[in-house]
Amino acid sequence: MNKEKDYIKDLAEIRQMMERSSKFISLSGWAGILAGIYALVAAYIAYTLFNFKPGEESSITPSDMLNVILLALALLVLALTTAVFLSYKSASKRSEPIWNATSRRLLLNMAVPLVTGGIFLIIMISQSHFNMLSSISLIFYGLALYNAGNFTYKEVKILGVILIILGLISACFISWALLIWAAGFGLMHIVYGIYIQVKYKR
Amino acid sequence: MKVLETGFNKAFESRIRLGIMSVLSVNDVLDFNALKEYLDATDGNLASHIKALEKEEFIGMEKSFIGRKPNTRYFITDLGKIAFSNHLSALERLIQSQK
């Protein structure tokens, strides 16, 4: 029957509208996987090339510390660029604007903990307190993800909680900080990315 | 408010109006431009459907200023929530009964 088809279409459209207007679903799992790989590579470089071993303050020279900071910044830019680029591609494939009220809210909600954490990191670095950098970055990023989880896949919320916990653990075991950081930013991103890709995209 | 025997609400008999109700039922408030983006509608078309829903008191609006620009934000009313959910149930029932 023609009418019946209409109603089913109505319902499908309603569901799609509700989802589209409340969840940002253009984020690709690949963004997580790639960000995780970048993070693992960066952690490896920091450890081997720049002698970055948290907990053994004396072992790192100021120039190596500067290199580590630059490396972290490069990692941040690279991961963000990848995420934006892949989201843009995925959104345009479904001919949806990437910059809509939902993505604006998503970013705004992430921005508050992220900017706070960023400033906190800068303050710590400027005072040469390097011990907590891993912990701070994990915790504030985790808080940002927890917030973001309200506006995108709910798994992001779980990822956020895991990173917060890792951040707290890392604060207790300074000598493990880099390893825990790599587990959080590297491994967890990859696991999350694969999960999203398998569950939602295929 | 005209409610047909089957539980269908005349006020929701257009795609745009269904869209407005769906979007507002999952968002606290949305401004005109956000609605326009989600529904992919023209200004005039959207405005007339909003007005119709407002008349039924299914949605409400609040006016404020961002700087000097007026900003109108829309939200769903309790009446609107009930009417929309009744409409959805009616849709479901109808589809079920025809299976």
Side-chain angles (χ1 to χ4, degrees):
Chain A
M1 242 172 105
N2 212 357
K3 269 234 151 138
E4 181 192 354
K5 243 185 213 153
D6 267 8
Y7 295 138
I8 292 175
K9 211 174 145 207
D10 273 3
L11 275 183
E13 220 159 276
I14 289 167
R15 185 181 303 147
Q16 196 211 348
M17 275 294 168
M18 286 178 166
E19 192 174 274
R20 176 147 51 125
S21 67
S22 60
K23 301 273 183 219
F24 180 75
I25 52 165
S26 293
L27 193 59
S28 153
W30 283 106
I33 298 172
L34 286 173
I37 294 172
Y38 302 155
L40 286 181
V41 172
Y44 182 75
I45 294 176
Y47 187 77
T48 53
L49 260 55
F50 303 143
N51 209 22
F52 183 62
K53 290 159 187 153
E56 305 166 33
E57 287 308 300
S58 51
S59 65
I60 191 160
T61 62
S63 77
D64 271 346
M65 194 59 220
L66 185 68
N67 281 334
V68 170
I69 293 165
L70 290 178
L71 180 70
L73 283 176
L75 172 67
L76 181 69
V77 172
L78 195 61
L80 280 179
T81 317
T82 308
V84 170
F85 175 73
L86 289 177
S87 300
Y88 181 78
K89 253 182 63 180
S90 141
S92 63
K93 210 192 289 171
R94 291 180 292 127
S95 62
E96 273 178 26
I98 185 177
W99 191 237
N100 61 18
T102 317
S103 55
R104 272 196 293 278
R105 255 182 313 174
L106 171 77
L107 287 184
L108 192 69
N109 275 276
M110 285 185 85
V112 175
L114 275 188
V115 171
T116 312
I119 294 172
F120 195 20
L121 283 175
I122 293 170
I123 295 171
M124 288 287 120
I125 290 169
S126 69
Q127 298 180 350
S128 304
H129 295 313
F130 302 132
N131 273 343
M132 289 293 161
L133 297 187
S134 151
S135 183
I136 295 167
S137 53
L138 279 166
I139 290 173
F140 281 91
Y141 181 60
L143 289 170
L145 288 183
Y146 186 79
N147 267 352
N150 291 324
F151 305 100
T152 179
Y153 305 113
K154 58 185 184 307
E155 286 81 1
V156 172
K157 218 167 202 176
I158 302 169
L159 180 65
V161 172
I162 294 175
L163 290 193
I164 293 170
I165 294 171
L166 285 175
L168 293 174
I169 295 174
S170 147
C172 303
F173 306 101
I174 303 296
S175 49
W176 291 81
L178 187 63
L179 202 64
I180 296 176
W181 187 93
F185 278 89
L187 209 59
M188 281 302 138
H189 267 142
I190 294 174
V191 170
Y192 159 81
I194 292 173
Y195 184 83
I196 291 294
Q197 208 60 29
V198 169
K199 184 167 176 195
Y200 297 102
K201 314 276 180 173
R202 259 181 295 186
Chain B
M1 170 168 55
K2 277 183 216 141
V3 180
L4 303 183
E5 264 173 68
T6 43
F8 278 92
N9 202 316
K10 271 267 185 206
F12 301 137
E13 265 196 352
S14 98
R15 282 276 144 77
I16 304 253
R17 288 189 202 174
L18 273 183
I20 296 171
M21 295 308 283
S22 332
V23 168
L24 286 182
S25 63
V26 287
N27 288 280
D28 290 343
V29 284
L30 281 179
D31 62 19
F32 190 84
N33 285 331
L35 277 176
K36 212 172 80 176
E37 270 171 17
Y38 287 137
L39 303 178
D40 206 14
T42 60
D43 279 14
N45 196 4
L46 180 58
S48 75
H49 285 301
I50 285 177
K51 201 162 275 171
L53 289 172
E54 254 180 321
K55 215 177 124 203
E56 300 274 2
E57 291 180 2
F58 289 161
I59 62 174
M61 66 159 169
E62 49 187 35
K63 287 201 173 185
S64 62
F65 284 85
I66 297 179
R68 282 196 181 163
K69 268 187 164 168
N71 182 261
T72 317
R73 306 199 302 168
Y74 299 92
F75 56 89
I76 193 168
T77 62
D78 288 340
L79 188 65
K81 265 181 210 160
I82 296 168
F84 187 54
S85 105
N86 285 342
H87 185 76
L88 288 187
S89 315
L91 269 180
E92 267 169 16
R93 266 203 307 277
L94 196 92
I95 291 167
Q96 287 297 329
S97 70
Q98 288 184 347
K99 256 182 191 160

